[in-house]
Amino acid sequence: MAMQDGGLLDVRPGADSGRAAPEHSGAYLAAGLALTLYAGALLAWVVTGAVDARVGPLDFAEGLFNPLAGPVGALGPQEWALAVALAAVAGAALAQRTVARPAAVLLACLVLARSLREGIGLLHPGYRSAYRFEAMGGWTLATHVLGLLAGIVVLCALLPARPEAGPGRAPGSWWAGRVSRICGALFLLAGLVQTAWLVRLLADGTKGAGAYLASAVDAAVSPSAVAPSAGAAFATLTAIAGWLVAGRLALRGRRDVRGALLVFAALQLYLVVRTVVGYTVTGAFGTGTRTVEGTLDLATTAYLLAAMTSVVVLTTGRAFSPGHGSTHSWARTRPE
């Protein structure tokens, strides 16, 4: 309580709309622990790979952002970003934040897809035998099994833990959900552009469509028994799927996809930044404009950089608060 003009002004925080309901506390705790275990496993692979390769801290930091700096371990940039995202979302889930729910569901689907890809590969006897000859084969298989279990736990725990439905849509609610729709439009356009590039790649005969798609869904086509990595084809297809699915949901004005938008945009932003660093080092910004395809590639990179940055900024802003006029988060005690 505080005094104002001789009266009392109640500045005590009300119900935190960003916190999970008490009855869902166990679900968030289970999801957070599952994500923590798998994030720890991936981080252990990153550290072990860097130690085995005798990569110093400065070289490791450079390799995280410069694709030409050389390998910094057994895993690739997709796995580095995934490990950090898993750890961040796990922390939010353990803190009972509702924003963690859509992000955790998104990451659980991604982790499950990675593990199922490995499961399909294990249907081939030749690929199964590869695990026996690789020094880290047992640890690789254990990591995929852990990912499978973690994804199942997260989905089973959080899918039923739906937040309470808010009040019905009021007149002008389309405009009230404009931030979500803007993010959805940016995501959808990114997905469509990347789909066009993939079609272009498969149509020019450089890579056969069947072999490319097979390498994305079957680990035996693109072996990964050495480490729990999924490959470039899998990363491309999951990126397109994530942009299109999350973008479609956000375009409908759904605020409950905020966490998924934020995490996925941050993942893709990191990968785009690595691409920009690589272009800068090789001078591609000067030579890429000499051809139409090179110009389009640079334009796509610029759009992805701007779009993913915009989504990260918008989803972390106050405009994405659960309800209009809410005073949660850092502005909890400020009168509206």
Side-chain angles (χ1 to χ4, degrees):
M1 306 293 284
M3 298 295 295
Q4 185 181 41
D5 297 331
L8 293 177
L9 174 64
D10 190 356
V11 295
R12 292 175 301 178
D16 189 353
S17 55
R19 189 173 178 83
E23 60 269 22
H24 298 153
S25 177
Y28 278 75
L29 178 60
L33 291 175
L35 294 178
T36 299
L37 288 175
Y38 190 65
L42 290 184
L43 290 174
W45 274 98
V46 174
V47 173
T48 302
V51 172
D52 290 343
R54 297 183 180 180
V55 178
L58 294 180
D59 293 333
F60 179 80
E62 180 185 2
L64 291 178
F65 293 94
N66 183 3
L68 302 180
V72 295
L75 302 183
Q78 288 82 13
E79 286 76 27
W80 305 337
L82 178 61
V84 174
L86 286 165
V89 174
L94 293 175
Q96 307 288 304
R97 307 308 299 180
T98 55
V99 71
R101 180 179 180 270
V105 170
L106 172 68
L107 292 178
C109 292
L110 179 57
V111 170
L112 274 177
R114 291 169 56 87
S115 298
L116 291 176
R117 174 183 180 274
E118 196 68 19
I120 294 174
L122 290 173
L123 296 177
H124 302 272
Y127 185 63
R128 288 199 303 270
S129 65
Y131 273 98
R132 296 196 297 268
F133 297 102
E134 295 293 343
M136 301 295 289
W139 289 109
T140 301
L141 184 59
T143 304
H144 285 299
V145 172
L146 179 60
L148 179 66
L149 296 176
I152 293 174
V153 168
V154 171
L155 293 181
C156 291
L158 289 186
L159 285 180
R162 296 181 179 275
E164 295 182 4
R169 291 181 177 271
S173 59
W174 191 97
W175 178 250
R178 64 190 180 280
V179 176
S180 175
R181 299 180 193 279
I182 291 173
C183 293
L186 292 174
F187 260 47
L188 284 177
L189 184 56
L192 293 175
V193 169
Q194 289 298 90
T195 301
W197 276 109
L198 179 58
V199 172
R200 168 76 175 81
L201 174 67
L202 299 180
D204 66 1
T206 303
K207 295 185 178 181
Y212 184 87
L213 296 177
S215 67
V217 301
D218 188 349
V221 177
S222 181
S224 58
V226 178
S229 58
F234 177 85
T236 299
L237 290 181
T238 52
I240 291 175
W243 275 321
L244 295 179
V245 174
R248 179 67 184 91
L249 293 174
L251 197 63
R252 295 167 57 186
R254 294 184 54 172
R255 293 175 177 268
D256 57 350
V257 298
R258 172 193 175 190
L261 293 173
L262 173 59
V263 168
F264 198 76
L267 284 171
Q268 298 303 320
L269 178 60
Y270 164 71
L271 297 176
V272 174
V273 168
R274 289 192 88 246
T275 300
V276 171
V277 172
Y279 285 174
T280 303
V281 173
T282 59
F285 286 113
T287 59
T289 55
R290 296 176 182 176
T291 63
V292 174
E293 186 170 349
T295 302
L296 291 176
D297 179 59
L298 293 178
T300 300
T301 302
Y303 170 76
L304 292 177
L305 182 63
M308 296 303 103
T309 302
S310 299
V311 173
V312 169
V313 171
L314 290 172
T315 51
T316 54
R318 185 172 168 77
F320 237 110
S321 58
H324 180 68
S326 172
T327 55
H328 76 291
S329 189
W330 57 86
R332 187 177 296 135
T333 59
R334 180 177 65 81
E336 292 295 324

